[in-house]
Amino acid sequence: DVKVTQSSRYLVKRTGEKVFLECVQDMDHENMFWYRQDPGLGLRLIYFSYDVKMKEKGDIPEGYSVSREKKERFSLILESASTNQTSMYLCASSLTSSRPKGAFFGQGTRLTVV
Amino acid sequence: ELKVEQNPLFLSMQEGKNYTIYCNYSTTSDRLYWYRQDPGKSLESLFVLLSNGAVKQEGRLMASLDTKARLSTLHITAAVHDLSATYFCAVDKEGATNKLIFGTGTLLAVQP
């Protein structure tokens, strides 16, 4: 089975801190994604990566950056955390060649910025 | 800009009843996905619909796709409590590799 693992289930950070959310997948997937999930807004795409060192902005990239130095790892960085970034963050991965199967998701990281 | 809309946002239904969740999207796409999310858990893939007229069924859930109308439906037959969850539809963003855009989700609560 595909496994997508996020480094933390819960995080509490202070306003202005630099925050790193880590995601690792074990199935050699080319594509990796970061979404945030907020009540009533569904999942919104922050960034995605289709190859090592390649990235593309999603719909809400402001305040975030990403890093993909290795194929299995995709990091989301909050440069200076703010309270409006309190949310559930979901990482996902997929294979380009088996696109019809859609994306596989990690368990989520609930981030609270105080 | 691709938009995906689901309705209703919240659905409370009694066990044994039937109901349908609707998913509309704003641009051409012939790949539509349905996911389920249980409280506190991540998303689980339910169905992948690849072409116009596609219909897939598993248990009490049946999903269909009409690409001309840009509409997918998730039909629930004789609901049971175990189906209580949030259901999301998602479509590929045109021209992008598996860049999924999600709807707002439908919170389904099945009452005994």
Side-chain angles (χ1 to χ4, degrees):
Chain A
D1 280 353
V2 174
K3 203 162 190 180
V4 180
T5 304
Q6 295 181 229
S7 53
S8 304
R9 289 297 304 274
Y10 301 95
L11 274 180
V12 180
K13 296 292 181 181
R14 295 192 182 278
T15 301
E17 275 193 80
K18 190 169 187 175
V19 181
F20 293 85
L21 303 183
E22 307 285 348
C23 176
V24 177
Q25 49 94 3
D26 65 358
M27 286 301 290
D28 204 34
H29 285 180
E30 297 99 341
N31 306 311
M32 296 189 75
F33 309 84
W34 276 105
Y35 292 90
R36 67 176 278 178
Q37 182 177 15
D38 300 287
L41 297 177
L43 276 72
R44 293 179 291 167
L45 182 63
I46 305 171
Y47 268 97
F48 83 106
S49 169
Y50 49 91
D51 201 350
V52 176
K53 296 190 187 295
M54 305 303 288
K55 61 186 179 186
E56 193 168 314
K57 292 180 180 178
D59 296 320
I60 51 163
E62 296 79 18
Y64 303 95
S65 62
V66 290
S67 171
R68 194 165 179 202
E69 296 296 319
K70 294 184 178 181
K71 192 173 186 180
E72 67 270 19
R73 187 179 296 270
F74 192 36
S75 303
L76 179 69
I77 303 154
L78 286 66
E79 298 291 342
S80 177
S82 64
T83 54
N84 63 12
Q85 292 178 309
T86 292
S87 186
M88 170 70 88
Y89 290 86
L90 290 164
C91 174
S93 72
S94 70
L95 263 179
T96 301
S97 61
S98 65
R99 181 180 181 185
K101 292 185 180 178
F104 295 85
F105 282 82
Q107 77 276 27
T109 296
R110 185 165 293 281
L111 172 67
T112 303
V113 182
V114 297
Chain B
E1 182 186 346
L2 173 60
K3 292 196 174 196
V4 182
E5 293 182 349
Q6 280 181 246
N7 68 84
L9 294 182
F10 177 70
L11 176 55
S12 178
M13 56 191 299
Q14 287 187 314
E15 282 189 327
K17 300 290 187 184
N18 305 332
Y19 210 84
T20 300
I21 299 171
Y22 298 89
C23 175
N24 291 90
Y25 53 98
S26 62
T27 191
T28 55
S29 172
D30 57 4
R31 277 164 297 276
L32 189 132
Y33 309 84
W34 283 97
Y35 284 85
R36 169 181 172 145
Q37 185 180 37
D38 292 299
K41 301 283 181 68
S42 191
L43 275 74
E44 172 192 354
S45 179
L46 290 175
F47 300 111
V48 180
L49 303 168
L50 299 178
S51 60
N52 187 40
V55 177
K56 290 201 174 175
Q57 181 164 5
E58 183 160 338
R60 300 173 188 274
L61 301 177
M62 183 173 72
S64 65
L65 178 62
D66 180 345
T67 57
K68 293 177 182 175
R70 298 178 187 170
L71 170 69
S72 179
T73 59
L74 181 67
H75 187 73
I76 302 149
T77 302
V80 292
H81 181 69
D82 284 352
L83 290 179
S84 297
T86 300
Y87 293 86
F88 291 94
C89 65
V91 298
D92 279 341
K93 192 163 185 179
E94 187 176 7
T97 302
N98 211 1
K99 186 175 174 181
L100 289 178
I101 302 299
F102 281 80
T104 49
T106 297
L107 175 58
L108 173 65
V110 181
Q111 313 293 342

